[in-house]
Amino acid sequence: MSSKAKLFLLFFISFIIICLSPFIGWHKLDYGNILNKEMIDNYVFFGSRLPRVIAGFLTGSILALSGLVFQSVFKNPIATPYTLGVASGASLGAALFIVSGTYSVTIAFLGSSFFAMAGGVLSILLVYSIASFTGKIYSNTLLLAGVAINFFSSALIMFLQYFADPASNYKITRYMIGSTSNITIDNIFFILPVSLIFFITVYSFHKELDILATGSNIAHSRGVNVTRTITILYFTVSFAIAIITSAAGPIGFVGMMIPHIIRITISSINKILIPATFFAGGAFLVMCDTFARIIIAPIELPVAIITSLLGAPFFIFLIIKGGKI
Amino acid sequence: MIKVENITYSIKNHKIIDNISFQIEHGEMISVIGPNGAGKSTLVNIIMDILKADSGSVYLYNKKIKEYNKKDRAKLISFVPQEYNFTVADLTVEEFVSTGRYPYLDYFGTIDKEQMDKITYYMTLTDIYHLKNRHISSLSGGEKQRVSIAAALAQEAEFIIFDEVSSNLDPKTKYDINNLLIKLNTEKKYTIISVTHDLNYSLEAKSKFLCIKEGRLHAFLPHSEMFEKKIFDSLFNMEFSYIKYDNKEVIIPK
């Protein structure tokens, strides 16, 4: 099967997963009542499940495509959207809100999403400033600065947790297990255009990403503006990640593994890889979120637990079968 | 024509390149030789505009290389490194050779028939057409180098810089790759600048030798003058025997 045919098959499967998901859940829908605004089924379908499916899809697709970009730019197969510390920065912001939120009306008014977003943006700017200190942006200085900030933020979170009261501690831990159930309708109206701009920007660099992944000097010799490409992609990916992390918290696995799975099963060429990763990431998270909603219903699990539990064994199977990553 | 004028490059007050000037004409076959750490790779990186010299300039046809639009520069000068990184992007041979067309492609990267013909032509020229659907990770060292050369050729630049492309290859593969470079120079009229430690190959290719020692230009001479002036001896601080054998001039350490 050609890689284009595989891409269409993937679109089709993703579409089916997205369409089926809102019909699945603890509450058995009475299909005749879905369009009747008087009935509970209408609210469950349109007010609860459909927004959650959309939120899950957008979160998963942004995470997967971000991982793909970072793996190519840093020429590192284990890079994830969180490698450069955006999520730790956002989590630190959220943790700061949780431990200090009860002391001030202003802080409480701004809310945890605002704090998480601020933490994410601050760490993005900090990493870029440190990396550009040497005069020119190289992918490896960006990577090292990012990893350092990541550890620094994580240490500050542990510091906060060490002195926080048990209730705040629980909230911080709970935030750091990402879940799409935190995403509100307002978030979705914001994330939807963000994900569109994000996708278009990344796709417009598909040729550059093909070359950059084989080496910065090669990309330079082919005529790619390496510094400009890395800078634009870094900010595009980081802001998108800051936005979804501030809404959902960190969700692992999707960002690292989905790009690999698509490379193994469909194609390594970014023209195909980018849209395939985007859709597969979205569909995978919707699928995991559906499991999260039903597996111990009526209690819901955070989706971040399911993504790795479900994805890791599948990925190991692919490695063994394909003999490579 | 590439003109290097008074290039100096330092790292932490240590001069890696110390006031080097020379000029390379169209159609020449240049071997850049010298001891390890002499500054050969740094010099090549400055010519490619990857590193910025502290002082001095590199001219490509009377225009400073750093003033070129990046894609225009790529149409004039291309680069074949010793190794690529294929851990993330395991493209097929054809996909990788296509990346050489980057400076010529439109915004969407459309590979039309004209582009495809060129890609096919350069795969045929380097004898890798039969591998076109193979993934690069599955190729041998020699095949990888051919793919890498094909991609650089697809840039259709008249100057090609090779950075130790045959260092890690077995004798037969090395011989084949070296002959390919000679063919590109003599038959296809490419200007070849090759960083190498393979002195006998460079002699066989009748190269002009750009000798770098401790960051300075030690000598820049045609192969015929390298013997009488005992340049190899002074360049590497060791004695060589010069032998004429089977109509070839070869050197071996004494």
Side-chain angles (χ1 to χ4, degrees):
Chain A
M1 196 165 23
S2 81
S3 41
K4 269 194 184 145
K6 285 181 185 168
L7 182 64
F8 280 112
L9 184 65
L10 178 74
F11 283 160
F12 184 67
I13 296 170
S14 306
F15 186 71
I16 289 181
I17 291 174
I18 294 159
C19 290
L20 284 181
S21 179
F23 291 98
I24 302 167
W26 188 67
H27 177 85
K28 294 274 173 296
L29 287 172
D30 185 340
Y31 301 124
N33 292 339
I34 289 175
L35 294 174
N36 184 348
K37 287 202 171 150
E38 305 289 305
M39 306 301 284
I40 183 78
D41 305 271
N42 176 271
Y43 173 77
V44 168
F45 191 85
F46 289 104
S48 167
R49 287 186 193 165
L50 198 61
R52 185 152 169 177
V53 168
I54 296 168
F57 181 81
L58 296 176
T59 308
S61 50
I62 289 178
L63 281 172
L65 192 48
S66 299
L68 166 68
V69 170
F70 277 179
Q71 285 165 6
S72 295
V73 168
F74 301 120
K75 298 170 277 293
N76 191 332
I78 56 166
T80 77
Y82 306 137
T83 304
L84 296 196
V86 184
S88 310
S91 301
L92 178 61
L96 269 173
F97 168 81
I98 291 164
V99 296
S100 63
T102 47
Y103 297 116
S104 152
V105 180
T106 326
I107 292 173
F109 175 74
L110 289 170
S112 78
S113 286
F114 175 85
F115 268 71
M117 186 67 205
V121 170
L122 268 179
S123 67
I124 294 167
L125 297 176
L126 197 59
V127 168
Y128 193 81
S129 323
I130 297 169
S132 57
F133 207 68
T134 48
K136 197 178 164 187
I137 286 293
Y138 296 103
S139 57
N140 53 350
T141 44
L142 205 53
L143 186 61
L144 292 172
V147 170
I149 292 300
N150 193 6
F151 277 102
F152 192 72
S153 307
S154 302
L156 286 178
I157 294 170
M158 283 190 277
F159 179 82
L160 285 177
Q161 281 191 301
Y162 193 75
F163 292 104
D165 59 85
S168 305
N169 233 322
Y170 175 75
K171 282 186 197 159
I172 295 172
T173 310
R174 191 59 195 73
Y175 173 85
M176 283 165 55
I177 309 171
S179 167
T180 46
S181 65
N182 307 331
I183 300 180
T184 62
I185 294 268
D186 290 343
N187 288 147
I188 291 173
F189 283 120
F190 187 50
I191 295 173
L192 194 66
V194 165
S195 67
L196 210 65
I197 295 166
F198 167 77
F199 178 81
I200 292 168
T201 311
V202 172
Y203 192 79
S204 71
F205 282 100
H206 71 88
K207 287 175 293 169
E208 286 79 1
L209 281 168
D210 284 336
I211 312 177
L212 261 179
T214 64
S216 302
N217 288 355
I218 287 307
H220 175 89
S221 80
R222 298 257 194 276
V224 175
N225 191 333
V226 175
T227 309
R228 182 173 157 268
T229 306
I230 291 179
T231 303
I232 294 174
L233 287 174
Y234 168 72
F235 281 110
T236 308
V237 167
S238 299
F239 280 119
I241 291 297
I243 288 162
I244 57 163
T245 309
S246 64
I251 298 169
F253 186 84
V254 184
M256 181 182 151
M257 301 302 182
I258 294 293
H260 284 302
I261 290 170
I262 301 302
R263 276 192 208 100
I264 294 172
T265 54
I266 299 184
S267 173
S268 285
I269 200 98
N270 280 286
K271 208 174 187 169
I272 305 240
L273 183 57
I274 290 173
T277 302
F278 190 81
F279 278 88
F284 176 72
L285 201 68
V286 169
M287 195 173 77
C288 290
D289 200 36
T290 312
F291 276 111
R293 284 191 282 118
I294 60 172
I295 207 157
I296 50 165
I299 301 166
E300 287 182 1
L301 272 178
V303 70
I305 296 175
I306 303 288
T307 50
S308 301
L309 274 183
L310 209 70
F314 178 64
F315 187 63
I316 291 166
F317 162 76
L318 276 181
I319 296 171
I320 294 168
K321 188 168 156 273
K324 66 180 181 124
I325 294 179
Chain B
M1 176 202 71
I2 295 176
K3 190 165 76 179
V4 171
E5 211 171 68
N6 305 111
I7 289 288
T8 298
Y9 182 82
S10 317
I11 296 175
K12 289 174 186 160
N13 294 325
H14 176 67
K15 278 189 179 166
I16 310 290
I17 299 289
D18 189 0
N19 199 24
I20 286 184
S21 303
F22 59 86
Q23 191 166 324
I24 293 169
E25 302 296 339
H26 175 78
E28 283 189 313
M29 178 86 173
I30 308 285
S31 290
V32 184
I33 61 167
N36 290 326
K40 303 184 294 290
S41 293
T42 308
L43 181 65
V44 164
N45 281 332
I46 291 170
I47 294 177
M48 283 302 303
D49 198 33
I50 292 168
L51 293 175
K52 308 263 176 266
D54 300 332
S55 60
S57 303
V58 177
Y59 292 88
L60 195 57
Y61 290 115
N62 299 321
K63 185 173 164 185
K64 284 186 184 171
I65 190 137
K66 60 183 175 191
E67 287 167 4
Y68 275 87
N69 167 295
K70 289 183 194 319
K71 287 188 180 176
D72 290 342
R73 184 209 58 221
K75 291 174 186 172
L76 287 171
I77 183 162
S78 63
F79 179 59
V80 182
Q82 192 174 1
E83 268 180 339
Y84 283 92
N85 188 332
F86 290 119
T87 45
V88 171
D90 190 14
L91 303 180
T92 64
V93 168
E94 188 179 270
E95 286 165 350
F96 186 71
V97 175
S98 307
T99 65
R101 298 303 297 165
Y102 176 79
Y104 301 92
L105 295 183
D106 61 17
Y107 184 76
F108 297 100
T110 319
I111 306 269
D112 54 16
K113 186 169 181 306
E114 189 197 338
Q115 299 292 347
M116 205 59 231
D117 286 348
K118 296 206 155 152
I119 293 160
T120 306
Y121 173 75
Y122 290 108
M123 286 196 291
T124 313
L125 185 68
T126 49
D127 198 18
I128 52 165
Y129 185 74
H130 60 290
L131 304 170
K132 71 181 185 130
N133 292 324
R134 289 265 296 273
H135 282 271
I136 292 177
S137 63
S138 73
L139 303 180
S140 71
E143 288 168 339
K144 276 183 193 156
Q145 281 308 9
R146 283 179 184 278
V147 172
S148 168
I149 293 168
L153 289 175
Q155 262 174 258
E156 305 199 306
E158 54 174 293
F159 296 96
I160 314 180
I161 298 181
F162 294 88
D163 190 4
E164 297 192 33
V165 279
S166 61
S167 318
N168 298 332
L169 305 177
D170 67 67
K172 168 74 167 82
T173 313
K174 189 180 236 175
Y175 178 82
D176 290 341
I177 294 284
N178 287 340
N179 279 345
L180 175 62
L181 299 203
I182 293 172
K183 180 176 147 191
L184 290 174
N185 176 249
T186 54
E187 291 175 23
K188 304 289 172 191
K189 305 299 172 203
Y190 284 98
T191 310
I192 288 180
I193 302 160
S194 178
V195 177
T196 180
H197 289 298
D198 194 346
L199 304 176
N200 285 317
Y201 142 71
S202 300
L203 285 168
E204 193 178 334
K206 302 199 184 334
S207 299
K208 199 171 170 185
F209 285 86
L210 185 74
C211 309
I212 310 288
K213 187 180 183 182
E214 290 165 9
R216 295 196 189 86
L217 186 63
H218 185 71
F220 187 31
L221 294 169
H223 69 104
S224 53
E225 289 174 45
M226 292 295 283
F227 290 108
E228 50 194 83
K229 292 182 179 163
K230 294 211 164 202
I231 300 292
F232 293 118
D233 303 51
S234 59
L235 180 65
F236 291 102
N237 288 329
M238 68 182 285
E239 287 183 46
F240 287 97
S241 294
Y242 298 79
I243 299 166
K244 272 210 163 186
Y245 171 75
D246 203 13
N247 273 334
K248 284 179 186 172
E249 292 169 320
V250 290
I251 61 167
I252 50 167
K254 245 179 194 166

